[in-house]
Amino acid sequence: MWDRLFVDCHAVTMVHANGNPMGVQRDAAIGVQDGRIVRVGKRTELAGFRAAEVVPLNGAWVTPGLIDCHTHLVFGGNRSAEHAMRRAGASYEDIARAGGGIVSTVAATRASGATDLIASARKRLHALMAGGCTTVEIKSGYGLDPASEIRMLNTARALGNSEAVRIVPTLLALHALPADYAARRDEYVDQVIDELIPAVARLKLATAVDAFCETIAFTPAETDRLFDAATAHGLKVKLHAEQLSNSGGAALAAKYDALSADHLEHVDEDGIAAMADAGTIAVLLPGAFYALQETRKPPVDLLRAYGVRMAIATDCNPGTSPLLSPTLAMNMAATLFGLTPDECLAGMTINAARALGIDADVGSLAPGKAADLCAWDIADPAELAYWIGLPGPVRRVVAGRDA
């Protein structure tokens, strides 16, 4: 006997079959046992199976639980004052001179007590969960010293242990250069490589290492050193690449078989070709594009032409993407970047799972996978990328249980 049988629903399984790329199954039923999916099929096909609980979904559309594969969810304070300054005409340099920018977030994060840090992150996490997320990646990166970065990762772990959501922690090892290392860049990179990465690997606090490879952040050579160290310690890599300029970050990420390269507004064809060869996922972040009022879009047509899979994420962070709605991120990807509704849903399910290296466990509705799913009160799955301000799912299920 199964634990649960979800009936009276339609399913978007995200399993390509028989010319049906989204794996749409009308009049579906989904069997769950021990937190895992055991069968997905037509209700008539599963009519002979018994379950301890039969759950009618009243004609809802069921999708895999949404996956936000790029967030900076743990930080102290916020930067709403900077938003007001930008609206009044202040430049990035003006804000930095006034003590704003990432420096202010680093200071607020270091000053936050453990209780405050987890409480503020929990509020943001709850918003993503209410929007349909069952898996959320959380990066460090606002500590800028080993102890503070480890504290951020421990906060992410605590959230995962106390909430009905899967947390995937990422060490954003090279995010910004601390002010006290302005004249000692090599020393800072050495500290990250020699102290931080070994400690995080030993404590198993993260599954991947990230960096911000950009003219205002870290060079390809510094990123190359970082990725050498990460892979030597058994950690996967991913990269903030080509957001503001083309630094060759996408090709560098592909060289290390990176899980993903994220942003990509300025990526060129060589970088895309390298990503295609490596199977690196392109993570598109329309929230940052919107908040920064950028005009150069990621080359979506070229990504399609090379067969590079595209994921979508909120990039929730205090400075450049204060976005807390996964479905709004999907709408932005459709409206601003031209993705189709099908691409948007794949971008926050199966392709987002691939961007985190967890697609064997989540991201689609298939036998053997975790029973993470959302039931939506919609008439068609395209509505998920259509509505602006769509309410969350009517039912969110994690490991087979209502959450």
Side-chain angles (χ1 to χ4, degrees):
M1 179 181 289
W2 295 339
D3 294 332
R4 306 184 91 184
L5 179 63
F6 294 95
V7 298
D8 189 16
C9 63
H10 313 295
V12 189
T13 67
M14 306 309 301
V15 178
H16 190 294
N18 301 320
N20 182 355
M22 301 291 286
V24 173
Q25 178 72 69
R26 291 184 176 273
D27 301 317
I30 304 168
V32 173
Q33 176 70 30
D34 297 328
R36 302 227 159 234
I37 296 169
V38 288
R39 284 287 297 273
V40 181
K42 282 190 172 296
R43 184 173 183 176
T44 53
E45 296 171 356
L46 276 65
F49 291 89
R50 298 177 61 196
E53 182 185 10
V54 177
V55 184
L57 294 177
N58 305 312
W61 277 92
V62 178
T63 69
L66 301 186
I67 299 170
D68 195 345
C69 65
H70 182 132
T71 84
H72 305 254
L73 209 65
V74 174
F75 55 84
N78 69 63
R79 281 149 64 183
S80 57
E82 293 180 22
H83 177 73
M85 292 173 69
R86 284 196 185 94
R87 302 291 74 80
S91 67
Y92 182 90
E93 291 76 13
D94 294 333
I95 292 169
R97 281 195 295 270
I102 190 172
V103 172
S104 65
T105 297
V106 171
T109 301
R110 289 178 175 178
S112 293
T115 300
D116 290 342
L117 198 61
I118 197 168
S120 65
R122 195 185 304 278
K123 290 179 182 178
R124 294 183 282 272
L125 180 61
H126 282 174
L128 294 176
M129 293 163 63
C133 285
T134 55
T135 298
V136 176
E137 185 252 25
I138 298 179
K139 302 180 190 295
S140 67
Y142 291 122
L144 305 192
D145 65 58
S148 299
E149 292 293 308
I150 287 172
R151 187 164 75 108
M152 290 185 70
L153 292 172
N154 276 319
T155 300
R157 172 188 278 178
L159 287 168
N161 289 337
S162 61
E163 297 287 346
V165 65
R166 300 177 194 275
I167 297 297
V168 179
T170 296
L171 171 63
L172 180 46
L174 292 179
H175 190 195
L177 188 68
D180 51 340
Y181 280 89
R184 300 180 290 145
R185 289 183 67 95
D186 287 346
E187 287 184 36
Y188 180 68
V189 176
D190 287 345
Q191 181 188 67
V192 167
I193 288 172
D194 297 337
E195 297 180 33
L196 181 56
I197 287 182
V200 168
R202 183 178 66 256
L203 297 169
K204 295 182 171 24
L205 290 177
T207 56
V209 172
D210 197 349
F212 186 20
C213 183
E214 190 54 75
T215 52
I216 63 170
F218 292 91
T219 67
E222 291 164 337
T223 304
D224 200 36
R225 289 185 58 207
L226 178 76
F227 283 179
D228 267 341
T231 54
H233 283 86
L235 297 168
K236 298 289 188 180
V237 301
K238 57 209 310 127
L239 188 64
H240 289 61
E242 328 309 23
Q243 180 185 11
L244 305 174
S245 64
N246 183 1
S247 301
L252 175 60
K255 170 186 168 184
Y256 287 90
D257 294 324
L259 293 170
S260 71
D262 304 22
H263 286 290
L264 299 175
E265 282 86 341
H266 290 262
V267 69
D268 60 18
E269 188 166 358
D270 288 344
I272 291 174
M275 290 175 63
D277 288 343
T280 297
I281 304 298
V283 178
L284 307 185
L285 304 172
F289 178 89
Y290 168 83
L292 292 172
Q293 297 180 284
E294 296 286 354
T295 56
R296 180 158 176 159
K297 303 176 183 181
V300 167
D301 285 341
L302 201 55
L303 290 166
R304 288 180 183 133
Y306 276 87
V308 175
R309 293 186 174 98
M310 293 177 284
I312 300 164
T314 65
D315 190 19
C316 176
N317 75 75
T320 62
S321 188
L323 175 58
L324 290 169
S325 168
T327 53
L328 181 54
M330 292 165 66
N331 174 272
M332 287 179 169
T335 304
L336 300 177
F337 294 164
L339 271 68
T340 67
D342 284 359
E343 287 174 329
C344 289
L345 184 53
M348 291 210 80
T349 54
I350 187 60
N351 287 344
R354 289 170 174 139
L356 296 176
I358 56 174
D359 51 300
D361 200 44
V362 296
S364 61
L365 304 178
K369 288 201 172 184
D372 293 3
L373 55 90
C374 289
W376 305 87
D377 183 16
I378 52 178
D380 189 278
E383 292 184 44
L384 294 175
Y386 163 69
W387 291 109
I388 300 172
L390 178 76
V394 295
R395 189 182 293 262
R396 192 180 71 97
V397 175
V398 178
R401 308 311 305 170
D402 292 339

